[in-house]
Amino acid sequence: MTRLLVECTHVFKHPKVNSGIQRVVRNVINRLPPEADGVECLPVVLLKGRLHRVTRLAALDSPLLNAVATFGERLERLAHRFWQSHQRLDGQVRSRLARRLLYVGYRLASFGAFGLPLRLIERINRHHLPKRCTPLQHRPGDQLVLLDSSWHSDFFPQAERLKRDGVGIVAVIYDLIPLTHPQFYDTRLVEVFGQWFDWIARTADGYLAISATVRDQVHDELRRRIGTTQADRRWFDYFHLGSELDLHTAGDVVEPQLERLFGAAGPVFLMVSTLEPRKNHGYLLDAFELAWAAGSSARLCIAGRVGWKCDALLERIRRHPELNRRLFMFNDLSDTSLEFAYARSAALVFPSFVEGFGLPLVEAMQRGLPAMGSDIAVFREIGGEFMAYFDLQAPQSLAGQVLAFERSGEFPAPRPVTDWRWIGWREASAQLAQRTARNVLEAPQAQAGAHAHCP
């Protein structure tokens, strides 16, 4: 009997992280239907090499226990890196005496710095873990759906054991950007992501992307890596993401500076994303500087946590003569404050070089906020004729749209955003479950293990 085991290990361990993928995982899991096309759907995590069914994704209402759990996770990662360093050094040392001393030092450090604290933390965790999950026995025919950001996980050997026991593997793909645009990321992430994709290329039975654009990219990449014959034995599909801000509650307080920003006269253009090179904030600043020079009174509000490779951007913003006049930046807005900003902005601006989906576009447009975005395929897929698109090679293209909208009051899209419709997270979760179940049930059973060990 087939079951969909939808994996959410990283979010289970870090339930308060609220960036893109974590938001997707949390919302899909919290609205996961009990069944799809007669197939039971269960949220699961892989902990200590074992499957557990999730009964509570949110953290417990105990700051002390949550702090202990977080410290334990960090210590485990540190211990793993320490072991990897030891393995590298051991392979480089030629002297038997030096290798012996290295081994003794490793054992002492492992026992004192990692072993004892981790055993104590495990005992503490053992008491509260049953309040959030229970052990689950896998069955042949089950499908492990890797919904979470599994590229930085260490459960691949466990997943492979499940596969040998007859469990199918389904990989959810958010994008291939570390492969296609490695210049936007740190070298280590590019390496980790590449290793992960090699693993799912060999191991997964099916691939579920978050847009048709990414689905086609994944299919092409699989054909390139493992050949058309092997790739065509897999299935490829996609689902779309929802739009609600689930951590928004009526009683929460809006950031005071944000309230003051929207309380003043003049239109506000909102940019929502992590500060990182791919999001192209430099182009945004260039465009608004051109608009300001041409007499625009528009204000630009940048909302998003600080990411990577953005030191020069942060310095430019902090030294900008329009900072806190016509340029504003918020790096830690709550969902309540973000909802407030979406409701009061004139438009969303999104100049990203490349995306797998573009969640802020959906969040904005579903609330009736028109969006201006870079002219890339996935934005066309999502926004269609309801968005305005600008040329990434010419900041004047966006500046001109801002000026024209400000002066005429007519948004430069062929169709009004009020006519645009999108799904919510409940429908998104149902799409994921239904499309996965359909593909699994329709896939020829003879192919189930045919590629488990393909080169």
Side-chain angles (χ1 to χ4, degrees):
M1 184 67 177
T2 299
R3 300 180 299 180
L4 299 187
L5 311 181
V6 186
E7 177 269 329
C8 55
T9 306
H10 185 69
V11 168
F12 183 85
K13 291 181 176 180
H14 308 278
K16 295 192 176 181
V17 176
N18 196 33
S19 55
I21 292 177
Q22 288 73 33
R23 186 188 293 277
V24 174
V25 173
R26 187 179 64 249
N27 280 286
V28 168
I29 292 296
N30 286 337
R31 292 164 178 79
L32 192 67
E35 62 87 25
D37 293 340
V39 176
E40 187 178 8
C41 304
L42 304 173
V44 302
V45 290
L46 278 159
L47 302 173
K48 302 292 184 183
R50 293 202 58 191
L51 270 173
H52 291 72
R53 178 176 182 173
V54 175
T55 55
R56 176 190 172 107
L57 187 59
L60 296 175
D61 297 325
S62 171
L64 179 59
L65 286 176
N66 291 331
V68 168
T70 300
F71 176 71
E73 292 156 16
R74 291 174 178 169
L75 195 61
E76 281 186 342
R77 289 196 295 271
L78 185 60
H80 183 66
R81 286 198 292 269
F82 181 71
W83 175 80
Q84 288 178 318
S85 299
H86 167 74
Q87 292 294 97
R88 284 196 296 269
L89 285 172
D90 187 62
Q92 295 170 0
V93 172
R94 294 290 176 261
S95 165
R96 290 185 62 186
L97 176 61
R99 293 182 68 180
R100 183 64 182 170
L101 291 173
L102 183 65
Y103 175 76
V104 170
Y106 166 75
R107 294 293 296 174
L108 289 173
S110 296
F111 180 76
F114 303 117
L116 286 176
L118 285 174
R119 285 186 190 135
L120 177 60
I121 291 168
E122 186 175 356
R123 284 179 176 271
I124 295 172
N125 288 340
R126 199 178 299 155
H127 290 288
H128 78 270
L129 196 61
K131 298 177 182 178
R132 297 183 65 204
C133 64
T134 57
L136 178 71
Q137 181 57 49
H138 63 277
R139 307 171 189 163
D142 284 345
Q143 302 292 316
L144 181 63
V145 182
L146 300 177
L147 175 65
D148 214 334
S149 49
S150 56
W151 46 88
H152 50 56
S153 299
D154 57 0
F155 56 62
F156 298 151
Q158 289 76 38
E160 290 170 1
R161 282 200 293 271
L162 292 174
K163 189 171 181 66
R164 288 194 291 271
D165 289 344
V167 175
I169 305 292
V170 178
V172 175
I173 311 292
Y174 292 89
D175 60 64
L176 298 182
I177 301 171
L179 301 180
T180 60
H181 298 75
Q183 68 272 23
F184 293 139
Y185 296 96
D186 292 327
T187 303
R188 180 57 183 156
L189 175 61
V190 173
E191 292 174 353
V192 168
F193 191 90
Q195 292 165 1
W196 168 79
F197 195 83
D198 283 340
W199 180 78
I200 64 163
R202 296 192 310 271
T203 311
D205 302 276
Y207 304 85
L208 195 70
I210 60 171
S211 64
T213 302
V214 173
R215 175 202 59 191
D216 296 343
Q217 292 171 351
V218 173
H219 199 179
D220 290 344
E221 182 67 17
L222 261 290
R223 284 175 168 171
R224 188 184 69 79
R225 287 187 179 228
I226 62 176
T228 300
T229 301
Q230 288 288 351
D232 288 350
R233 293 184 180 182
R234 277 76 160 177
W235 58 263
F236 300 83
D237 211 332
Y238 73 96
F239 73 109
H240 277 150
L241 307 183
S243 57
E244 305 96 317
L245 296 175
D246 62 310
L247 299 185
H248 165 60
T249 57
D252 287 348
V253 176
V254 175
E255 169 68 37
Q257 187 180 355
L258 191 72
E259 280 193 301
R260 290 193 292 273
L261 163 61
F262 284 97
V268 176
F269 289 76
L270 179 66
M271 166 75 171
V272 179
S273 76
T274 303
L275 274 68
E276 45 142 321
R278 174 170 61 94
K279 302 298 184 176
N280 206 11
H281 289 81
Y283 173 98
L284 192 64
L285 292 175
D286 291 343
F288 272 82
E289 285 169 359
L290 289 171
W292 291 329
S296 172
S297 61
R299 288 164 297 158
L300 174 61
C301 176
I302 295 173
R305 66 181 179 86
V306 176
W308 51 91
K309 290 189 173 184
C310 61
D311 291 346
L313 171 67
L314 288 172
E315 185 68 13
R316 179 178 176 183
I317 292 173
R318 288 166 181 160
R319 292 181 176 273
H320 203 286
E322 294 294 341
L323 184 62
N324 297 324
R325 295 175 59 215
R326 289 189 289 188
L327 172 63
F328 299 83
M329 180 172 67
F330 300 90
N331 300 125
D332 192 26
L333 288 183
S334 67
D335 275 10
T336 298
S337 292
L338 189 56
E339 192 79 61
F340 181 89
Y342 278 138
R344 288 160 177 80
S345 296
L348 183 82
V349 283
F350 207 163
S352 188
F353 284 111
V354 59
E355 290 286 339
F357 184 78
L359 193 54
L361 290 178
V362 173
E363 292 174 348
M365 294 173 71
Q366 188 71 345
R367 289 158 177 77
L369 179 64
M372 299 173 174
S374 42
D375 194 358
I376 58 177
V378 72
F379 286 179
R380 291 278 183 178
E381 176 184 341
I382 294 166
E385 295 183 326
F386 302 93
M387 272 181 63
Y389 302 94
F390 47 79
D391 182 358
L392 285 184
Q393 302 304 313
Q396 184 59 53
S397 171
L398 173 56
Q401 289 184 2
V402 169
L403 286 163
F405 182 37
E406 188 178 0
R407 290 167 181 168
S408 70
E410 294 184 9
F411 191 74
R415 299 180 63 185
V417 70
T418 50
D419 292 342
W420 185 83
R421 296 291 180 269
W422 200 256
I423 61 174
W425 282 114
R426 189 170 302 281
E427 293 85 359
S429 189
Q431 271 190 13
L432 176 142
Q434 291 164 0
R435 295 182 183 186
T436 302
R438 182 191 65 204
N439 280 285
V440 167
L441 294 174
E442 290 178 356
Q445 294 299 310
Q447 295 179 2
H451 59 270
H453 305 291
C454 69

